[in-house]
Amino acid sequence: MAQTFTMDDLRQRLQARQHKMTPQRQTVLQVFLDHPGEHLSAEDVHGILRQGKSEIGLATVYRSLELLSELELLQKMEFGDGCSRYEVNTTDPSEHHHHHLICTTCGAVTEFEDDLLDDLEADIQQKMGFHVLNHQVKFYGTCKECQSKN
Amino acid sequence: MAQTFTMDDLRQRLQARQHKMTPQRQTVLQVFLDHPGEHLSAEDVHGILRQGKSEIGLATVYRSLELLSELELLQKMEFGDGCSRYEVNTTDPSEHHHHHLICTTCGAVTEFEDDLLDDLEADIQQKMGFHVLNHQVKFYGTCKECQSKN
DNA sequence: TTTTCTGCAAACGATTTGCATACAC
DNA sequence: GTGTATGCAAATCGTTTGCAGAAAA
């Protein structure tokens, strides 16, 4: 089951670092809880919050995204479209290994679950003495839809 | 054996797209041939060329890097340090699968050869109907040296 | 009441672009 | 000659920062 974070997780992690719980930080996290599986940029989040009634400064969005990433509630990633994007850092270990399939024709980003990389990480540990904490895997190619259009 | 590109490959691929062979494009490619295994940014390339006798504008470096990537002589990548980096797109299939190990402590980027991903790509093709053309794999963690320092 | 946070606007750094000139073909 | 490429400087765009006022603890 996809299990995710609560505002209480946020509160606890903020306290542990002597940061304050603020409405802005809560609403930024909430945006991600409301948009599972999406890869939102700072501008995206800002736009979504503005469309709702929440007033928030863009700089605050940037600062919140960075903080939430440090608290490991979000994960930062780059898809090469010129801006950083974020997604909820799921707490479910079975979802740990989801990779991104990026269609170079239409730009769609979909996900793919896999656990093959556990072996690979063990291999890296053994051969290189490198301790893997996290990884990012991106496959570039052509999605089903774009293939059938040609 | 690591086999790489020649200036003749460059000439051919430029002609195929009705682009012109210029000294600037040659020297940019040459920088990468002279620095195998490095991940150079536009500023890096510009600096290296300036240190040699070659005068070249930074904008031209950017334009050349993009063109060389389109010609699949270079590969563009992001390591999250705020700028795009490039490396030679080796022609050797056995080197196709080299992943990047990024130490989050000292920032060192090393490489790791592997062919496990062939299976994974086949799996993606079959289950998702997504045709994989390329991939980028980054492992974040702590390198051997940084581990022993703690 | 003390410290951290927010919002704004200005600063920033990487990358792109417009345009006149120079060069490859 | 013709069309593409270059170099420069200005423009752009995502992101960061300084600072005064606002809010959490």
Side-chain angles (χ1 to χ4, degrees), chain A residues 13-148:
Chain A
R13 297 188 192 199
L14 286 172
Q15 283 183 340
R17 293 229 202 173
Q18 50 228 41
H19 283 135
K20 294 175 177 171
M21 181 74 147
T22 68
Q24 287 88 343
R25 287 168 182 172
Q26 288 182 62
T27 55
V28 169
L29 177 56
Q30 191 61 50
V31 167
F32 286 90
L33 301 182
D34 293 344
H35 294 76
E38 290 187 44
H39 312 100
L40 304 173
S41 67
E43 294 278 4
D44 290 340
V45 173
H46 189 233
I48 290 169
L49 287 176
R50 284 271 161 117
Q51 284 210 292
K53 46 225 148 203
S54 316
E55 276 305 306
I56 187 172
L58 182 55
T60 304
V61 173
Y62 275 104
R63 284 187 280 232
S64 300
L65 290 173
E66 180 168 2
L67 181 56
L68 293 173
S69 298
E70 283 172 20
L71 300 178
E72 296 184 297
L73 294 167
L74 296 182
Q75 178 148 5
K76 187 178 187 171
M77 45 194 53
E78 322 276 334
F79 292 120
D81 64 340
C83 64
S84 296
R85 297 186 166 274
Y86 298 81
E87 65 177 27
V88 249
N89 189 15
T90 172
T91 52
D92 184 345
S94 81
E95 284 197 18
H96 178 212
H97 293 316
H98 77 279
H99 313 318
H100 294 102
L101 311 183
I102 304 168
C103 180
T104 50
T105 304
C106 70
V109 179
T110 53
E111 320 224 321
F112 182 75
E113 301 294 328
D114 157 72
D115 54 3
L116 253 178
L117 259 60
D118 289 329
D119 297 343
L120 188 46
E121 290 190 3
D123 213 30
I124 288 170
Q125 178 79 59
Q126 195 202 333
K127 290 188 187 157
M128 306 288 285
F130 186 97
H131 180 52
V132 177
L133 295 169
N134 200 355
H135 64 241
Q136 273 188 36
V137 183
K138 292 180 276 191
F139 293 93
Y140 296 92
T142 324
C143 73
K144 207 172 189 171
E145 288 70 33
C146 288
Q147 285 174 59
S148 57

Side-chain angles (χ1 to χ4, degrees), chain B residues 92-111:
Chain B
D92 184 346
S94 79
E95 284 196 19
H96 178 214
H97 292 316
H98 77 280
H99 312 317
H100 294 102
L101 310 183
I102 304 168
C103 179
T104 50
T105 305
C106 70
V109 178
T110 53
E111 321 223 319

Side-chain angles (χ1 to χ4, degrees), chain A residues 99 101 112 114 116-117 137-140, chain B residues 96-97 99 114-137:
Chain A
H99 313 318
L101 311 183
F112 182 75
D114 157 72
L116 253 178
L117 259 60
V137 183
K138 292 180 276 191
F139 293 93
Y140 296 92
Chain B
H96 178 214
H97 292 316
H99 312 317
D114 159 72
D115 55 3
L116 253 178
L117 258 62
D118 289 329
D119 297 344
L120 188 45
E121 290 190 3
D123 212 31
I124 289 171
Q125 178 78 60
Q126 194 201 333
K127 290 188 187 158
M128 307 286 286
F130 186 98
H131 180 53
V132 177
L133 294 169
N134 199 356
H135 64 241
Q136 273 187 37
V137 184

Side-chain angles (χ1 to χ4, degrees), chain B residues 22-35:
Chain B
T22 67
Q24 288 86 343
R25 287 168 181 173
Q26 289 183 62
T27 55
V28 169
L29 176 56
Q30 191 59 51
V31 166
F32 285 90
L33 301 182
D34 293 344
H35 295 76

Side-chain angles (χ1 to χ4, degrees), chain B residues 20-21 59 62 82-84:
Chain B
K20 294 175 177 171
M21 181 73 146
Y62 275 103
C83 64
S84 296

